[in-house]
Amino acid sequence: MKSKELFAEALQYIPGGVNSPVRAFASVGTDPVFISAAYGSKIKDADGNEYIDYVGSWGPMILGHGYPTVTEALLQQLVKGCSFGAPTELEVDLAKMVCQMVPSVEMVRMVSSGTEATMSAIRLARGYTKRDKIIKFEGCYHGHSDGLLVKAGSGALTFGVPTSPGVPAGYASNTLVARYNDLESVRELFEANDQGIAAVIIEPVPGNMGLVLPQAGFLSGLKKLCREYGALLIFDEVMTGFRLSAAGAQGIYTDVDPDLSTFGKIIGGGLPVGAYGGKKEIMAMISPSGPIYQAGTLSGNPLAMRAGIETLHVLNQEGFYDKLETRAASLVGGMEVILKEVGIPHVVNRLGSMFTIFFTEAPAVNSFADAVTSDTERFGKYFRSMLQDGIYLPASQFEACFVSAAHSDRDCECTLEAFESAIRSL
Ligand code: HOZ
């Protein structure tokens, strides 16, 4: 009952009782559980219940919670200082690692969140091209900055306000919205705004309308259109970066070379961090080497840098992503067998260690329009049954689940048992 009491108290002091909307369980018809600790693949609530965790802090915890070398490095850094507001060797080390792991990135700037990363990348693209308009995709979420909170996914979609009040019409009018996996919709916007578009920003593999995969030729076609019309291509890899491969989504869809990329989550090993990077010629426009201003007291924070470096070291170990793929494939494969056996209409989208089960009659989910055909009531029932049986999932149909390196065979077995019972109850 402690979670219930804490939530009641939180509602008095924090809007909606939470510090980020997706944490509230409002769309799944129950109250949020308050978390007291996490270790490995498990997360524990304030009432002492333990869950197998498929949220992983919405992506960062690819190694599982409390990974020993990350924790050790953080403890060592803690006694040396938490923040200097000055350059450190750690920033250089992490920047070098990012450039080595992601071939399209030649220079990178650290910030404190994914929102800051995408917002700064957009400013850079505008300053570089001397154009104002951008194209984003319906259902893609790039953080909560004004110009990007238009037809957005994640919490904005879950709570039914994809375009937030408070975003001035002037900002929104510079954000044009295309349909994911629909090159024609992008071409139309380019044609109608010739010479006006600074950049196309996209989650190459969207995870914020649930997980949706790019169809063959979509991403490379996008790059071609950008070249044709002189716009930059920005890959928002805040969720997919270092998750889908060592080079993120761009390590899988290797025929596309974005001009700029944004990162967050894994790159900070669980501490608040973001980053944006890309071609040297473009990145050199950032202050103080260029005129485009962007700054931050906590940017390159030493604790976050240490956690990021240690995490990336583990990801670079031979076979890391293969093992994660095998684990996720066997778990999600087991889920698909159950769904078919029970006869619940569904679409399962998975890539590497990210997946979403859409409760829909649609034959496939390749776009926002497909995703919103899902039965969210049914999802809520499924979510509550899983939670009751010790499985902690993202509390929305329009988010992705994350498998970590800490999930064991036993975790998968327990998850499938709970899953079968949840699906049979629908
Ligand atoms: N962007 C994260 C996954 N959709 C959620 C983080 C948040 O909004 O709290």
Side-chain angles (χ1 to χ4, degrees):
M1 290 292 99
K2 187 98 194 278
S3 279
K4 277 214 172 317
E5 282 162 25
L6 285 171
F7 189 48
E9 201 171 9
L11 284 167
Q12 292 180 50
Y13 302 107
I14 304 173
V18 289
N19 278 316
S20 193
V22 295
R23 294 176 198 178
F25 286 5
S27 72
V28 287
T30 183
D31 288 342
V33 291
F34 277 57
I35 302 304
S36 60
Y39 31 84
S41 60
K42 311 285 187 329
I43 194 160
K44 201 171 170 182
D45 71 17
D47 298 289
N49 302 306
E50 191 180 85
Y51 308 89
I52 302 171
D53 179 20
Y54 291 99
V55 179
S57 188
W58 304 94
M61 311 317 295
I62 189 166
L63 305 181
H65 297 277
Y67 192 82
T69 54
V70 177
T71 306
E72 185 53 38
L74 281 173
L75 291 172
Q76 281 173 13
Q77 186 57 46
L78 204 52
V79 289
K80 291 188 190 164
C82 296
S83 181
F84 311 125
T88 64
E89 188 174 345
L90 297 169
E91 295 168 299
V92 186
D93 289 348
L94 187 55
K96 212 194 288 178
M97 285 178 96
V98 172
C99 294
Q100 282 163 355
M101 289 172 79
V102 189
S104 74
V105 175
E106 296 168 353
M107 271 189 157
V108 62
R109 170 60 71 81
M110 299 294 165
V111 291
S112 296
S113 71
T115 290
E116 242 188 284
T118 52
M119 180 182 91
S120 309
I122 294 289
R123 182 181 305 143
L124 173 56
R126 285 178 165 147
Y128 179 80
T129 58
K130 301 191 174 56
R131 298 172 174 185
D132 286 342
K133 289 193 184 343
I134 57 164
I135 295 177
K136 78 175 281 289
F137 292 84
E138 193 172 19
C140 281
Y141 176 74
H142 307 288
H144 62 87
S145 67
D146 281 346
L148 289 169
L149 214 46
V150 177
K151 298 226 171 144
S154 192
L157 170 58
T158 303
F159 292 99
V161 274
T163 305
S164 174
V167 173
Y171 273 63
S173 65
N174 277 322
T175 304
L176 311 173
V177 182
R179 291 184 295 276
Y180 188 80
N181 272 330
D182 181 348
L183 280 178
E184 221 20 65
S185 73
V186 184
R187 181 179 286 284
E188 278 166 19
L189 292 175
F190 270 122
E191 276 172 6
N193 296 274
D194 197 18
Q195 302 293 306
I197 299 192
V200 173
I201 184 166
I202 187 164
E203 294 180 78
V205 180
N208 284 295
M209 45 177 146
L211 190 77
V212 176
L213 306 188
Q215 300 299 286
F218 175 62
L219 294 174
S220 52
L222 209 51
K223 176 77 189 210
K224 259 200 216 128
L225 281 174
C226 285
R227 278 292 158 275
E228 200 181 317
Y229 288 92
L232 300 186
L233 178 61
I234 306 173
F235 269 12
D236 178 349
E237 296 237 42
V238 169
M239 276 213 269
T240 52
F242 312 100
R243 162 67 63 178
L244 295 180
S245 79
Q250 52 197 281
I252 295 179
Y253 303 99
T254 48
D255 53 343
V256 201
D257 181 31
D259 300 295
L260 293 173
S261 300
T262 61
F263 306 101
K265 305 200 190 261
I266 289 177
I267 200 183
L271 275 85
V273 101
Y276 63 104
K279 307 291 171 222
K280 221 170 229 176
E281 181 201 337
I282 306 171
M283 290 303 291
M285 296 287 285
I286 291 289
S287 183
S289 59
I292 300 168
Y293 201 73
Q294 178 271 311
T297 300
L298 290 169
S299 296
N301 173 267
L303 283 169
M305 297 297 101
R306 271 311 285 271
I309 290 166
E310 293 308 324
T311 300
L312 297 196
H313 272 314
V314 181
L315 303 186
N316 278 319
Q317 285 169 7
E318 183 75 30
F320 178 87
Y321 289 97
D322 293 340
K323 273 192 227 150
L324 202 54
E325 161 69 25
T326 308
R327 176 63 25 101
S330 116
L331 172 71
V332 179
M335 290 174 161
E336 287 191 87
V337 169
I338 294 167
L339 283 160
K340 280 190 194 117
E341 241 174 57
V342 181
I344 296 289
H346 67 276
V347 169
V348 176
N349 283 349
R350 179 184 74 85
L351 190 60
S353 56
M354 294 173 75
F355 71 95
T356 297
I357 294 167
F358 295 94
F359 292 103
T360 176
E361 309 258 358
V365 176
N366 294 324
S367 66
F368 173 82
D370 295 336
V372 296
T373 61
S374 302
D375 182 341
T376 51
E377 288 285 319
R378 178 167 268 180
F379 178 86
K381 199 166 176 208
Y382 157 73
F383 173 89
R384 294 192 299 276
S385 172
M386 291 292 270
L387 189 72
Q388 178 70 35
D389 285 351
I391 312 295
Y392 188 74
L393 300 173
S396 166
Q397 172 69 92
F398 306 115
E399 296 284 356
C401 297
F402 297 95
V403 180
S404 81
H407 285 94
S408 64
D409 288 342
R410 181 74 197 126
D411 288 333
C412 292
E413 279 164 28
C414 294
T415 305
L416 288 176
E417 269 169 39
F419 186 78
E420 175 149 19
S421 141
I423 296 302
R424 289 196 184 281
S425 76
L426 297 180

